[in-house]
Amino acid sequence: MIDINKYLSDIRDQVDSELDRLLPTATTAPARLHEAMRYSIFAGGRRFRPALCIAACEAVGGSLQVALLPAAAIEAFHTYTLIHDDLPAMDDDDMRRGKPSSHKAFDEGTAILAGDALLTIAFEWLGKTGNARLVEELASATGSVGTVGGQQDDLDSKGMNISQEAVLSIHRRKTAALFAVSCRMGAIISGASDTQIDTLGQFGQQLGMTFQLLDDICDNDPITMQAFEREEVISLAKKKSQESFHELEKLQGDSSQLTALAQFTYASFQL
């Protein structure tokens, strides 16, 4: 049986070491920008999306070392989204993981630039793998028809009652898209077949949808909870979680780490 806490801890250590190696030092000019980038990257977090990338790679015969650079790029990209989400023009959150958000610890302009730099460097690192498909996958999943577009719809929905499908569309393009592409990139870097890549991507999408729905219940998210009754959200989350495991059953490979990650995620929410 997998000790999932140890598995996540080991991955976090490896990914943090890779991030520390790859990022410019805090004293590299312009020092304030690089300090801000490092502040947000190393502000905490389980490195769950990199763990999905690595576990997906391992599930189809790859290794942690092979997936480490894409995993670091995913974390850089994810951190960019958090910095920008926290900005006053977006979700206007002053705290992130128990610490002042980037725009509070530094200033709004520096936070914007730190996010921009992390977004850019994520694609630089993917380019170093020599696998152009990784660049295309992350860009297509997270651009104007993906994560960024989902954030626009999220902004437009503030203070409004939107349909259930509109809520799910936002979740699909934001949280679920990054979960899915993390799994797909891990499979791609391992040399997996297109069928395996698609199966792992579908697993990541269902996992991401479940995660966001459960998180919305716990946070009593106004947009989701105005569109759904609480029991509807619980029922839908249960359906999506079952679908995530069904996808893993199709996979030809060792999905034990991914199964454990999903079970750990679902069990972490106290409803």
Side-chain angles (χ1 to χ4, degrees), residues 90-111:
M90 296 285 190
D91 291 343
D92 194 16
D93 286 326
D94 289 347
M95 300 295 290
R96 169 68 63 178
R97 294 168 176 163
K99 298 180 180 179
S101 300
S102 181
H103 67 276
K104 299 301 289 186
F106 295 87
D107 57 77
E108 192 171 339
T110 299

Side-chain angles (χ1 to χ4, degrees), residues 190-203:
S190 76
S193 69
D194 285 343
T195 298
Q196 290 173 315
I197 293 167
D198 289 343
T199 298
L200 285 165
Q202 284 298 314
F203 160 75

Side-chain angles (χ1 to χ4, degrees), residues 30-103:
R32 184 170 176 81
L33 174 61
H34 292 132
E35 183 185 357
M37 292 165 66
R38 284 180 162 269
Y39 173 84
S40 292
I41 279 277
F42 296 114
R46 296 177 301 176
R47 310 304 189 207
F48 190 76
R49 290 153 191 81
L52 286 176
C53 177
I54 291 166
C57 181
E58 293 173 332
V60 287
S63 67
L64 181 148
Q65 289 303 320
V66 167
L68 202 51
L69 189 51
I74 288 166
E75 189 61 28
F77 184 93
H78 176 53
T79 304
Y80 133 74
T81 67
L82 300 181
I83 292 173
H84 281 200
D85 279 357
D86 289 340
L87 290 168
M90 296 285 190
D91 291 343
D92 194 16
D93 286 326
D94 289 347
M95 300 295 290
R96 169 68 63 178
R97 294 168 176 163
K99 298 180 180 179
S101 300
S102 181
H103 67 276

Side-chain angles (χ1 to χ4, degrees), residues 14-35:
Q14 294 266 15
V15 170
D16 281 358
S17 179
E18 184 75 346
L19 288 166
D20 186 47
R21 181 183 73 83
L22 291 166
L23 283 167
T25 67
T27 57
T28 300
R32 184 170 176 81
L33 174 61
H34 292 132
E35 183 185 357

Side-chain angles (χ1 to χ4, degrees), residues 2 19 25 40-41 65 70 76 80 102 108 138 145 154 170 220 229 236 242 257 260 268:
I2 294 171
L19 288 166
T25 67
S40 292
I41 279 277
Q65 289 303 320
Y80 133 74
S102 181
E108 192 171 339
L138 185 59
V145 296
D154 197 5
I170 291 170
N220 196 30
E229 296 293 333
L236 185 56
Q242 291 170 341
Q257 292 98 325
S268 66

